[in-house]
Amino acid sequence: MYRRHKPSATEKRNFAAHGVGLSLPQNDTRSFYSLSQLVLSAGHLRQPPVLRHSKITYFEVEILDAQSKKQICIVDKVSACPQWYPSRVGLQLERNGPYLKDSVSIQSLAVSSIITLYFTDLGQQVSWTTVFLTEYTGPLLIYLLFYIRLASIYNEQESTKNFRHPVVHLACFCHCIHYIRNLLETLFVHKFSGGHTPLKNMIKGCAFYWGFTSWIAYYINHPRYTPPSMYKYNIKLTLFLIFFFSLNLLICEAGNHFINVALAHQNHSGNKSYFPSPTYNPFTWLFALVSCPNYTYEIGSWISFTVMTQTLPGKFKTVMEVS
């Protein structure tokens, strides 16, 4: 038999501190006593967590008309998130759907009074101008470092003794012309309209261009580089072949430039359905066959460079350009 327990004054204070009332029916005394003993043996009850104030600062943005100064709207509770600049933010209507373009209006998306968008952090962004300048400056400087035959790359004694074939000098000249043209066109011809791309894409592009340039330049400028056998017959044939390949490469570079200029003017017209047509400039006559002849001239340049130098890395680069 259980004996009726009479709470002491200390227990009453403990119950009152935890907000537990003592006015219970007689038939519930036994169950309450067992529960209270379990709670008291477990220690003090935990206090509810204290809610801390958020450190996020919100702003109220008021938008006025520039001429009439009338209020257009008020955007409430705008938080300051400097790490999420506009080009880094990706918004989607569906989780796996495409990212919304900046030109899309809210009215075109609204199917009801509530619009649900999915936010994605696209990572650190860089401008397209920075991407192309970085990708093209690297190969230009890297090839020149191999051309001067640094002692840290090649054997110093072999570099000073071995004679350089004229094709080595010509290859350096053509390679520099190619990337100098790309750099100048990036600055003065191409218009990127403020577009951006993730930083990881620039790293991938630099790894491709810089890696292939290092591979090509290492073999062509190596002290033990062996020129192609077609240059070994006689001096006249050698000069003719060098002139032929260099002229062909320069023609392709000039054609590539004029095509890029024509495409740039086409983009400025604002008519996306319009394609340039052949003009009096003979370099634009390829427009009668293909819509973007700049890729045709690009492939022609690398084919001429590869045949002129006869190196395996150059062949791989040409295959990559064709594909």
Side-chain angles (χ1 to χ4, degrees):
M1 293 293 293
Y2 285 93
R3 296 180 59 185
R4 181 174 296 179
H5 176 73
K6 184 177 181 181
S8 62
T10 304
E11 291 176 343
K12 289 180 180 179
R13 286 196 297 269
N14 292 337
F15 292 151
H18 296 297
V20 180
L22 297 175
S23 57
L24 293 172
Q26 295 294 331
N27 56 353
D28 291 336
T29 304
R30 176 179 175 182
S31 60
F32 176 75
Y33 175 74
S34 301
L35 177 61
S36 62
Q37 290 295 324
L38 176 62
V39 173
L40 292 175
S41 64
H44 296 286
L45 293 176
R46 292 184 178 180
Q47 297 293 333
V50 179
L51 296 178
R52 297 181 180 179
H53 295 286
S54 176
K55 295 183 180 180
I56 300 177
T57 305
Y58 293 95
F59 299 91
E60 183 178 287
V61 181
E62 181 183 13
I63 301 177
L64 304 178
D65 185 83
Q67 297 179 352
S68 63
K69 296 184 179 179
K70 292 183 178 180
Q71 185 185 87
I72 298 176
C73 65
I74 294 179
V75 184
D76 193 12
K77 289 186 178 181
V78 179
S79 60
C81 301
Q83 72 274 19
W84 292 332
Y85 42 89
S87 61
R88 185 169 182 165
V89 175
L91 298 177
Q92 301 165 287
L93 285 176
E94 299 177 357
R95 255 185 156 180
N96 298 325
Y99 294 110
L100 298 178
K101 297 181 179 180
D102 295 337
S103 58
V104 175
S105 62
I106 297 179
Q107 185 177 2
S108 63
L109 302 176
V111 293
S112 64
S113 59
I114 298 177
I115 302 176
T116 302
L117 299 177
Y118 293 92
F119 167 82
T120 302
D121 184 5
L122 300 178
Q124 188 173 354
Q125 303 286 305
V126 291
S127 65
W128 281 109
T129 302
T130 304
V131 171
F132 289 117
L133 289 178
T134 306
E135 290 179 350
Y136 297 150
T137 303
L140 179 63
L141 299 179
I142 290 173
Y143 198 99
L144 292 176
L145 290 178
F146 282 93
Y147 177 74
I148 61 178
R149 292 182 176 178
L150 294 177
S152 58
I153 301 176
Y154 302 115
N155 185 285
E156 187 175 0
Q157 295 181 353
E158 292 184 348
S159 300
T160 54
K161 291 181 180 179
N162 291 4
F163 171 75
R164 295 195 190 192
H165 194 274
V167 72
V168 176
H169 302 290
L170 182 61
C172 180
F173 172 76
C174 294
H175 192 274
C176 292
I177 288 294
H178 176 74
Y179 283 101
I180 289 175
R181 177 189 61 80
N182 285 328
L183 288 172
L184 294 177
E185 288 179 354
T186 301
L187 294 174
F188 303 108
V189 177
H190 299 300
K191 304 297 179 181
F192 304 104
S193 66
H196 294 80
T197 186
L199 177 63
K200 61 181 180 180
N201 291 343
M202 187 184 75
I203 296 176
K204 292 179 182 178
C206 291
F208 173 78
Y209 284 99
W210 296 15
F212 262 108
T213 299
S214 301
W215 194 19
I216 294 172
Y218 176 80
Y219 283 99
I220 296 177
N221 298 286
H222 199 281
R224 298 183 182 181
Y225 168 72
T226 303
S229 58
M230 57 185 175
Y231 298 127
K232 297 180 180 180
Y233 295 110
N234 54 66
I235 188 63
K236 293 183 179 180
L237 180 60
T238 300
L239 294 177
F240 171 77
L241 291 175
I242 291 177
F243 174 77
F244 173 77
F245 290 127
S246 58
L247 180 63
N248 187 30
L249 194 146
L250 293 176
I251 289 175
C252 291
E253 292 296 328
N256 201 337
H257 169 71
F258 286 112
I259 294 300
N260 287 329
V261 171
L263 292 174
H265 287 302
Q266 174 259 328
N267 292 333
H268 291 167
S269 65
N271 188 0
K272 296 182 179 179
S273 61
Y274 169 76
F275 286 96
S277 57
T279 62
Y280 63 90
N281 187 343
F283 292 105
T284 64
W285 291 352
L286 278 180
F287 275 120
L289 302 176
V290 292
S291 58
C292 296
N294 54 324
Y295 294 107
T296 306
Y297 285 118
E298 184 80 9
I299 294 172
S301 298
W302 281 106
I303 290 177
S304 300
F305 185 85
T306 302
V307 176
M308 179 177 63
T309 57
Q310 293 287 315
T311 56
L312 181 62
K315 296 178 181 178
F316 271 103
K317 185 65 168 64
T318 303
V319 172
M320 295 294 293
E321 293 290 339
V322 173
S323 59

